[in-house]
Amino acid sequence: MCPTKREPLTYVVSSLRAEAKLESPRVGAASGPRADREAEKSVWPETLRAGDFPAAVNQSQKRAVSLLLTVVLMLGLAAFATAGDEPWDSGAFKGDPAAIMQAAARQPTPEGADVVILLEEDRYVFEPDGRHTRTWRRVFRIETPAGAEAWSSLSMEWEPWHQQRPSIRARVITADNVAHMLDEKTLTEAPAEDDQANVFSDRQTLGGPLPAVAVGAVVEQEAVIRDTAPVFDQGTVRHAGFGGDAPVRHTVLVVDAPVSLPLHYVVRLLPSVEPHRRESGGRVQWIFESGPLDPLTRVEAVMPGDLPRWPHVAFATGKSWKEVAARYSGIVDEQVHNADAKSLNEGGTPGRTRDEIVARLVARLHREVRYTGVEFGQASLVPRTPAETLKRKYGDCKDKAALLIATLRAAGIPAYMALLNTAPGEDTEPTLPGMGFNHAIVYAPGEPDLWIDATDEYARVGTLPPADQGRLALVARPQTDQLTRTPEATSADNRTLETREFFLAELGPARVVETSEAWGAIEESYREAYSGPDSKRLRDELESYARGTYLADKLGSFDHSGAEDFSAPFHLHLEMPHAKRGQTGMESAAVALMPAALVSRLPAFLRRDEQDSEESQPPGQAKAGKHRKADMVLLEPYTMELRYRIVPSPGFRLQPLPQSGEQHLGPALLSKEFAQGSDGGVTAKLRFDTVKRRFSPEETDALTAGV
């Protein structure tokens, strides 16, 4: 699955399906590289990831549960249960109800907590071939009516092509020490819902209500999901979260595998967690335990991919990146081998230079094949053959990438599939080899190397969308032995030049002509916004812009470049016949300059006034005026220049102009230049340059203050 497209220049993360890392709430793939202002949205710590954090969850909390983790249950499963001092530590549903209620009553209740999680257990048992069983267990006490309502049901998802129907058990112990068992007949099975359009899968959901839920009750849940086949035979990646949106008293993670199966792990944001290793009978166990954890705080917006967002243990079962790359390369080559790419290569080589050939083939791909994800069975991991994609006229990221690879190779241009995890989430762990990616693009080595996102019809060839930039990618070819970082655009690559001409009237509002040109990611967003025939909706949006920005009575004429015309930078032309931002009176004339437009592409939290209340700001972002704790990375470093040309009516004399100069907003730079022309008119150039993409906390604070 691939990131999807909704609005320009905002990104979400989704899944290549097999072992992908999914953010919470879960987002699946739909058409193309995505923009979803996730860089500025509320993001719960990624412990709530679908498929990685619990196997069974409360539906009313809408916690994602695309459980892409499974395994076959071993006979010795009970043997690696960790010993504890509380009655719920004796094993699932074994503790005496009265003893559990007494022990739960002794646990402290943090102020404001709706529930207290007494125990969270996550257990993985691996087979030599990579299949595994995951057993997840949780014990919690309900503290408030809100907790009783929000935690009153559970559900989980599974993929029938490689997993058995899950097993879910639960009991609720009420204040009278009576245990009420979950009735399996109340569980319902239904197709899992995808969060985006144009995505279809065979995932299933199993869930239902818990019995006798009330304030003071203790709830015990267990979910088991087993693999019937390995998802990827050269290793997968897992992320086990510690903590959540409620206080947790005790967390246990156990990973059990044959000694012959490679196992790599990293521990993130858990400084007190030291793993215990046990080896016996040809198997090895790694046990990770944590004591009390407060509810997780929401992460700061637009953090770099190499910084962890949430406390977790990540582990992988691949031997090396070389084995992973070689195996997936074989899968891709098998699908594209002997592909008949005639439909896209018809008429011979479509160009003289490599860039011309690639550009024309990519343009044909976008015209011939739309984005649609059909994730049935192994199609969640294995791309369809080019012939099938051409026949259907649709495909997801890996389908379109495989088709483009086939057509490029048919034209004599080497090309390979590259797998990555898109921004703004965490990047791939370079020390954890295994399948765990959410997007597929194309890599064509040469002078220079070309990186192409086959789902992004509005980007110039060789320019990746911002969510793909600066990410660690696995190029699927036999010689690959490590991850490669994708190219990153500079602020000079993402540019906008906007010229605003004010023709002052002899009396009354001015006539304004606005002309914009764009390059890089900004050009891509313009092309997407102005794709297709001009609609009433587009006209209405431009009318609203004219009224809001220029206080115009109406929008006059407008025209723009074609979205598919890459022969020149994108061009937009607007005319407003009566704009009150420029006004001529009996004795004076004035034009309002609006430099705030220069910083309009920065994340919203950088532009929020210090006086804004915390409640008025989206959750997941630092309150305006507070100091940043983590580095910030801009999806779009950029340069924007506003050029004003003011033509006065006859009889007016120019007053002294504002002072020209430069101002540093942290590392960013704002420059202002004013001049009088020979015709008596005025020119003003206002230019803002972010200068860099990654900012330290101190630089972010300085930028915020400057803005």
Side-chain angles (χ1 to χ4, degrees):
M1 294 175 67
C2 319
T4 69
K5 217 168 215 181
R6 287 180 189 156
E7 294 186 5
L9 305 169
T10 52
Y11 289 82
V12 299
V13 179
S14 66
S15 125
L16 193 64
R17 184 63 63 194
E19 311 312 323
K21 295 187 290 184
L22 301 181
E23 308 299 332
S24 177
R26 187 183 59 78
V27 287
S31 56
R34 259 325 342 226
D36 196 347
R37 312 244 178 230
E38 287 297 321
E40 302 173 7
K41 278 188 176 178
S42 136
V43 180
W44 269 109
E46 297 166 56
T47 31
L48 307 185
R49 294 185 180 212
D52 292 331
F53 192 57
V57 299
N58 304 285
Q59 288 177 334
S60 55
Q61 292 175 294
K62 300 199 182 295
R63 304 181 83 180
V65 275
S66 172
L67 293 181
L68 309 174
L69 13 119
T70 25
V71 195
V72 173
L73 187 62
M74 305 296 293
L75 292 177
L77 185 62
F80 62 72
T82 56
D85 298 328
E86 302 294 354
W88 46 79
D89 293 325
S90 59
F93 311 107
K94 293 182 179 180
D96 176 69
I100 286 178
M101 292 299 290
Q102 292 174 7
R106 293 194 296 267
Q107 300 297 323
T109 303
E111 184 179 355
D114 292 322
V115 302
V116 175
I117 298 174
L118 306 172
L119 174 67
E120 188 107 52
E121 285 185 346
D122 220 352
R123 303 170 180 276
Y124 295 80
V125 181
F126 283 86
E127 291 272 22
D129 63 359
R131 290 177 297 154
H132 75 280
T133 293
R134 185 194 186 196
T135 302
W136 171 84
R137 180 170 169 246
R138 173 189 280 166
V139 181
F140 62 91
R141 186 182 67 212
I142 298 173
E143 304 293 339
T144 67
E149 181 178 356
W151 295 65
S152 62
S153 61
L154 56 86
S155 69
M156 66 184 303
E157 292 183 6
W158 84 99
E159 295 182 325
W161 75 271
H162 70 97
Q163 294 174 327
Q164 290 182 8
R165 185 179 188 269
S167 168
I168 296 178
R169 296 192 297 164
R171 71 174 175 177
V172 179
I173 305 173
T174 49
D176 55 3
N177 298 332
V178 175
H180 304 263
M181 300 302 297
L182 172 68
D183 185 352
E184 292 190 15
K185 294 191 295 294
T186 65
L187 297 177
T188 59
E189 185 177 326
E193 295 183 4
D194 277 294
D195 296 320
Q196 281 84 24
N198 300 325
V199 177
F200 306 88
S201 75
D202 53 2
R203 290 180 296 114
Q204 298 289 304
T205 299
L206 182 68
L210 296 170
V213 174
V215 174
V218 173
V219 180
E220 183 175 6
Q221 301 170 331
E222 182 191 66
V224 180
I225 186 165
R226 300 178 175 89
D227 275 350
T228 56
V231 173
F232 184 72
D233 58 13
Q234 288 300 319
T236 55
V237 182
R238 306 276 178 241
H239 295 75
F242 280 55
D245 52 357
V248 183
R249 300 298 300 164
H250 186 204
T251 307
V252 180
L253 167 67
V254 180
V255 182
D256 183 287
V259 174
S260 59
L261 188 71
L263 187 64
H264 314 267
Y265 71 87
V266 294
V267 181
R268 298 296 184 223
L269 300 183
L270 291 165
S272 62
V273 173
E274 291 290 339
H276 302 284
R277 186 180 186 277
R278 300 175 182 172
E279 184 175 338
S280 177
R283 299 188 66 85
V284 62
Q285 295 175 7
W286 288 95
I287 302 172
F288 305 81
E289 289 193 73
S290 172
L293 294 171
D294 293 331
L296 298 178
T297 57
R298 303 192 180 196
V299 299
E300 292 184 302
V302 289
M303 288 173 59
D306 59 358
L307 296 183
R309 274 79 164 153
W310 46 282
H312 68 280
V313 175
F315 53 97
T317 57
K319 182 179 179 181
S320 68
W321 285 119
K322 185 173 180 63
E323 278 73 13
V324 175
R327 178 69 180 105
Y328 199 70
S329 173
I331 291 173
V332 174
D333 289 347
E334 183 177 352
Q335 295 301 94
V336 305
H337 183 62
N338 292 329
D340 182 6
K342 240 174 168 182
S343 296
L344 290 183
N345 280 341
E346 204 169 350
T349 303
R352 295 180 179 179
T353 67
R354 182 185 71 151
D355 288 353
E356 289 176 341
I357 295 171
V358 173
R360 294 185 185 182
L361 289 177
V362 170
R364 276 190 207 166
L365 173 69
H366 293 322
R367 287 196 304 269
E368 296 288 333
V369 181
R370 74 180 190 274
Y371 180 91
T372 297
V374 179
E375 307 288 344
F376 293 165
Q378 289 188 324
S380 58
L381 178 66
V382 178
R384 288 181 170 81
T385 65
E388 187 174 1
T389 301
L390 283 172
K391 180 180 179 181
R392 292 182 172 184
K393 301 296 184 183
Y394 66 73
D396 65 9
C397 58
K398 58 189 179 299
D399 300 333
K400 296 190 71 172
L403 175 55
L404 181 58
I405 288 168
T407 57
L408 289 173
R409 291 179 180 178
I413 298 173
Y416 306 91
M417 193 172 293
L419 305 178
L420 69 154
N421 285 308
T422 55
E426 283 188 40
D427 206 351
T428 305
E429 285 277 2
T431 61
L432 298 182
M435 185 58 63
F437 302 95
N438 68 12
H439 195 36
I441 60 177
V442 175
Y443 169 70
E447 294 294 336
D449 293 343
L450 288 179
W451 296 82
I452 306 163
D453 192 321
T455 67
D456 190 1
E457 58 188 300
Y458 302 108
R460 291 179 179 273
V461 169
T463 300
L464 289 175
D468 295 357
Q469 294 181 16
R471 309 295 285 188
L472 292 172
L474 180 72
V475 178
R477 55 177 177 173
Q479 60 265 48
T480 293
D481 58 9
Q482 61 184 347
L483 302 177
T484 301
R485 193 168 297 280
T486 59
E488 295 181 81
T490 66
S491 61
D493 296 322
N494 301 323
R495 293 184 292 135
T496 306
L497 173 58
E498 190 171 297
T499 302
R500 300 176 171 184
E501 297 180 281
F502 283 76
F503 299 92
L504 293 173
E506 290 190 8
L507 186 66
R511 179 173 69 91
V512 175
V513 177
E514 179 186 291
T515 305
S516 300
E517 288 184 297
W519 294 261
I522 302 175
E523 179 187 35
E524 178 187 346
S525 67
Y526 270 107
R527 291 185 183 278
E528 182 176 8
Y530 291 91
S531 61
D534 293 339
S535 62
K536 182 181 182 302
R537 178 181 175 183
L538 176 61
R539 176 84 190 193
D540 290 344
E541 289 176 350
L542 291 176
E543 288 274 7
S544 178
Y545 171 77
R547 289 193 297 269
T549 302
Y550 294 104
L551 302 181
D553 294 338
K554 64 177 182 177
L555 173 69
S557 62
F558 75 94
D559 63 75
H560 57 83
S561 304
E564 298 177 358
D565 179 10
F566 291 95
S567 61
F570 186 86
H571 176 93
L572 174 65
H573 180 89
L574 308 175
E575 289 198 22
M576 282 69 64
H578 301 287
K580 298 181 182 66
R581 290 292 186 195
Q583 190 76 251
T584 303
M586 295 298 295
E587 297 182 357
S588 65
V591 170
L593 307 188
M594 296 161 285
L598 295 170
V599 296
S600 62
R601 302 193 78 86
L602 291 176
F605 76 93
L606 293 173
R607 298 180 274 113
R608 198 163 285 118
D609 190 276
E610 284 193 21
Q611 301 305 314
D612 286 351
S613 67
E614 187 171 4
E615 291 77 15
S616 69
Q617 301 179 47
Q621 297 176 7
K623 182 179 178 181
K626 286 192 174 181
H627 294 298
R628 179 85 177 186
K629 295 180 180 179
D631 284 5
M632 175 190 72
V633 64
L634 298 176
L635 282 180
E636 278 182 16
Y638 72 91
T639 300
M640 183 174 185
E641 184 171 324
L642 292 178
R643 292 183 183 178
Y644 284 86
R645 177 172 173 259
I646 304 169
V647 181
S649 57
F652 285 88
R653 179 168 52 86
L654 186 67
Q655 293 185 2
L657 292 171
Q659 187 174 355
S660 300
E662 292 184 346
Q663 179 182 354
H664 287 276
L665 312 181
L669 183 64
L670 172 67
S671 61
K672 298 169 285 185
E673 181 181 335
F674 304 92
Q676 181 176 2
S678 57
D679 60 355
V682 175
T683 59
K685 295 181 181 180
L686 309 178
R687 188 174 185 271
F688 176 74
D689 185 352
T690 64
V691 177
K692 57 194 299 186
R693 189 175 193 224
R694 182 164 179 159
F695 292 70
S696 70
E698 295 75 21
E699 290 172 333
T700 305
D701 289 344
L703 175 61
T704 303
V707 171

